[in-house]
């Protein structure tokens, strides 16, 4: 129950986005570091599978099947809205370890003389996109916690 007060419902999703993008940055950086290695096949995380897990998590958080805790609400001296007293679904279960494991992907360029298929422009573009998503997730988490801090301190 206390966790629902100190952790807004979107924070677990933002945490997963931040972790996924951090891991993806590592994989993409390794691709660039090995760009000149003969026969190296580029790796990436399963972005589409992560996006599907994210959609499921958002649907789970929006679903009306939340359970209201009546036993704890009677113990509180102040009346809180029922939306604050709901038990948030655990979204971490939707984000399996498979989503954070790199895998070889189809090439994004013409073949090189060594039959490797690597494209530094594509890797840099994906790194930039990943960095932007990472930055967005961190900014959203920071703003949620800043809002919570201002509510607690009575400034909101």
């Amino acid at each position: 129950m206390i966790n629902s007060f100190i952790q807004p419902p979107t924070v677990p999703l933002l945490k997963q986005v931040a972790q996924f993008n951090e891991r993806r940055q590592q994989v993409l950086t390794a691709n660039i570091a090995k760009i000149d290695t003969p026969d190296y096949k580029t790796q990436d995380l399963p972005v589409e599978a992560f996006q599907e897990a994210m959609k499921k998590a958002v649907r789970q958080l929006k679903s009306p099947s939340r359970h209201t805790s009546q036993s704890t609400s009677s113990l509180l001296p102040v009346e809180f809205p029922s939306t604050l007293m709901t038990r948030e679904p655990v979204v971490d279960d939707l984000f399996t370890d498979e989503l954070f494991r790199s895998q070889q992907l189809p090439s994004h360029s013409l073949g090189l003389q060594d039959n490797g298929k690597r494209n530094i422009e594509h890797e840099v573009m994906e790194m930039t996109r990943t960095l932007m998503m990472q930055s967005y997730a961190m900014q959203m988490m920071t703003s949620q916690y800043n809002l919570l801090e201002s509510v607690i301190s009575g400034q909101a």
Side-chain angles (χ1 to χ4, degrees):
M1 180 192 84
I2 289 294
N3 197 28
S4 65
F5 290 120
I6 61 173
Q7 183 169 316
T10 56
V11 169
L13 295 177
L14 293 170
K15 180 184 101 174
Q16 292 296 335
V17 170
Q19 288 176 341
F20 181 82
N21 285 306
E22 178 183 356
R23 175 70 181 119
R24 189 165 189 232
Q25 262 323 52
Q26 293 169 349
V27 171
L28 295 171
T29 301
N31 285 343
I32 290 177
K34 298 174 183 174
I35 200 84
D36 289 332
T37 304
D39 297 322
Y40 177 73
K41 305 287 191 253
T42 57
Q43 306 277 313
D44 202 350
L45 298 184
V47 176
E48 293 82 17
F50 180 80
Q51 290 171 345
E52 282 303 313
M54 186 62 70
K55 287 177 188 176
K56 287 178 186 175
V58 168
R59 281 193 297 268
Q60 184 177 355
L61 287 174
K62 286 183 175 181
S63 75
S65 64
R66 294 181 173 178
H67 308 290
T68 305
S69 172
Q70 298 297 331
S71 61
T72 56
S73 63
S74 62
L75 300 174
L76 296 173
V78 179
E79 188 67 33
F80 286 100
S82 63
T83 56
L84 291 177
M85 298 304 297
T86 59
R87 182 180 167 271
E88 297 300 332
V90 179
V91 297
D92 290 342
D93 297 339
L94 297 172
F95 298 94
T96 62
D97 291 338
E98 285 281 316
L99 296 175
F100 296 90
R101 271 194 217 115
S102 63
Q103 51 189 256
Q104 185 176 329
L105 295 179
S107 66
H108 304 287
S109 68
L110 299 174
L112 303 174
Q113 283 183 329
D114 65 359
N115 292 328
K117 298 188 188 247
R118 302 175 295 276
N119 184 333
I120 195 160
E121 290 86 8
H122 174 79
E123 298 301 318
V124 171
M125 181 185 70
E126 289 300 316
M127 283 184 71
T128 303
R129 182 180 300 161
T130 302
L131 181 63
M132 288 171 47
M133 288 301 297
Q134 175 77 355
S135 177
Y136 176 76
M138 298 309 291
Q139 287 176 359
M140 291 301 295
M141 268 196 274
T142 301
S143 68
Q144 294 227 343
Y145 282 117
N146 286 342
L147 179 62
L148 183 62
E149 181 182 18
S150 67
V151 167
I152 290 171
S153 66
Q155 296 175 1

